[in-house]
């Protein structure tokens, strides 16, 4: 079969690997919309990158995510990086991942690792956190109140710290170390953003330097969590850190690398994403004035508001999959070893699933968004993220008298995560 028939136009494909272009949401969504209509399962061939299939439809992202035998997370890079960066990682670690953990594992290894913490992150188990999270949320609303009438950067000065505080509390990291964790996460996730990446410390932006910078960030995480693990082994507590420090799979303790990787994914996946979605929820309140009075009058709508903010934000832009055998989808022959990009942001605007998808509509019921993925690797922290957002807005909305935009939202330059870096608003909070 001639795959060239399905090649995407170069200018469309390039947007998918251009972090700066992706800060222009109109341009990005124009590209997604064009692909959904004209080449919904196209092939991107871009200089410096391995070729990959671009999965833009809700149905295809769902089907591929659910078929964890045919499409693996761990066989090749799970995020779309330049070939030189991946080669550097392989040369350094012996595998295509900086650290191979839960999200990069497949089959029984994945099931066993996931089972270690799955119950801890289920809604019933999280009920115990309600009071603590509410206290953090109240202090965040108090902080917002201090800025009454002035321009406040809701993304940078408010939303960023709340989920960070919750996840660090769960991992047993003391508040004084939170700024360090925040910096490491931003360097790891937003490694392409000029304002946030390690390059600002003197490393140039070539792909292999990007690989080296990422490895340095992981080494910092490693040093930090080694100390947390040692502490929990001697002083066990009722937290995830203690659970992981003493975890056993098939009668054997986790390897050092498996344990660090677990800490790393929970520490990093758990806050940027949730703060981005909270900031998008606030953006919606400031842009659509009819929302605030509706939510004040009926707070039972807050969970729907949260879900729609998650759909709109789609804070993870993509994860990659690698085919383990030849297969056929939408008339395309996918070969064993082919790399596929699951575009959550596109699936969440799919007109076949969401009526008027560019409209922020809290009445979608059910809201079948894929912001958390779906299938075997569906987000472990989805209930925690929703709980944090629900509690934040349950505390904020009754006290929020008004909110209006005070400038343009500025997005993080990244092909992997989507979210506001700056969101200037002017609020009055009681
Ligand atoms: C709005 C917030 C969040 C979003 C949008 C989000 C998104 C995602 C997505 C799309 C995946 C799927 C990965 C795949 O299919 O390969 C995922 C997995 C994961 N997320 Fe989240 N996440 C969020 C919050 C959290 C939180 C709070 C935690 C904290 C525990 C967390 C921990 C994880 C872990 C550990 C995985 C890997 C699960 C596995 O491979 O079995 N996430 N997340």
């Amino acid at each position: 079969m001639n795959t060239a028939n399905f090649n995407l136009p170069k200018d469309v494909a390039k947007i998918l690997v251009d972090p700066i272009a992706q800060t222009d949401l109109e341009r990005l969504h124009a590209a997604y919309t064009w692909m959904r209509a004209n080449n919904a399962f196209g092939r991107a061939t871009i200089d410096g990158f391995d070729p990959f299939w671009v999965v833009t439809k809700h149905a295809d992202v769902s089907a591929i995510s659910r078929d964890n035998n045919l499409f693996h997370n761990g066989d090749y890079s799970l995020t779309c990086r330049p070939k030189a960066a991946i080669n550097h990682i392989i040369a350094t670690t012996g595998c295509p991942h900086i650290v191979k953990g839960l999200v990069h594992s497949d089959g029984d290894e994945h099931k066993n690792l996931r089972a270690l913490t799955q119950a801890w992150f289920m809604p019933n188990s999280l009920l115990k956190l309600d009071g603590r999270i509410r206290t953090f949320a109240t202090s965040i609303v108090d902080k917002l109140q201090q800025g009454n009438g002035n321009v406040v950067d809701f993304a940078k000065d408010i939303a960023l710290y709340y989920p960070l505080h919750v996840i660090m509390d769960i991992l047993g990291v003391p508040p004084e170390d939170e700024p360090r964790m925040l910096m490491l996460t931003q360097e790891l996730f937003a490694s392409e953003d000029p304002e946030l990446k390690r390059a600002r410390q003197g490393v140039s932006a070539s792909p292999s330097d990007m690989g080296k910078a990422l490895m340095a960030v992981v080494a910092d995480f490693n040093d930090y969590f080694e100390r947390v693990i040692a502490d929990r082994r001697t002083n066990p507590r009722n937290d995830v850190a203690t659970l992981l420090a003493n975890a056993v799979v098939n009668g054997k303790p986790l390897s050092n690398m498996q344990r660090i990787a677990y800490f790393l994914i929970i520490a990093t996946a758990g806050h940027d994403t949730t703060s981005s979605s909270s900031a998008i929820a606030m953006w919606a309140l400031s842009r659509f004035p009819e929302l605030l009075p509706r939510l004040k009058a009926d707070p039972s709508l807050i969970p729907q508001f949260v879900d729609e903010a998650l759909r709109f934000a789609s804070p993870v832009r993509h994860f990659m999959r690698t085919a383990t055998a030849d297969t056929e989808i939408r008339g395309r022959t996918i070969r064993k070893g082919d790399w596929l990009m699951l575009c959550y942001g596109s699936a969440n605007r799919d007109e076949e699933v969401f009526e008027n998808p560019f409209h922020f509509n809290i009445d979608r019921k059910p809201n079948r968004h894929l912001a958390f993925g779906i299938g075997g690797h569906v987000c472990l922290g989805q209930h925690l993220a929703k709980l944090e957002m629900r509690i934040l807005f349950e505390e904020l909305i009754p006290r929020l008298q008004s909110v209006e935009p005070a400038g343009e939202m500025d997005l993080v330059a990244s092909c992997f995560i989507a979210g506001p870096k700056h969101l200037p608003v002017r609020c009055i909070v009681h």
Side-chain angles (χ1 to χ4, degrees), residues 65 73 78 102-104 110 114 121 167 262 265-266 269-271 273-274 277 310 314-316 319-321 342 344 370-374 376-382 384-385 388-389:
S65 304
N73 276 35
L78 190 57
L102 177 68
V103 74
H104 314 96
H110 172 253
R114 188 156 170 132
F121 285 103
I167 207 74
Y262 221 126
I265 178 116
I266 294 181
H271 60 88
T273 44
T274 314
S277 313
L310 283 160
S314 300
V316 177
F319 271 116
M320 306 299 288
R321 293 292 189 265
L342 306 179
Y344 302 111
L370 298 178
F372 294 116
I374 197 165
H377 287 276
V378 67
C379 179
L380 180 72
Q382 60 173 322
L384 177 63
E388 288 176 45
M389 289 180 69

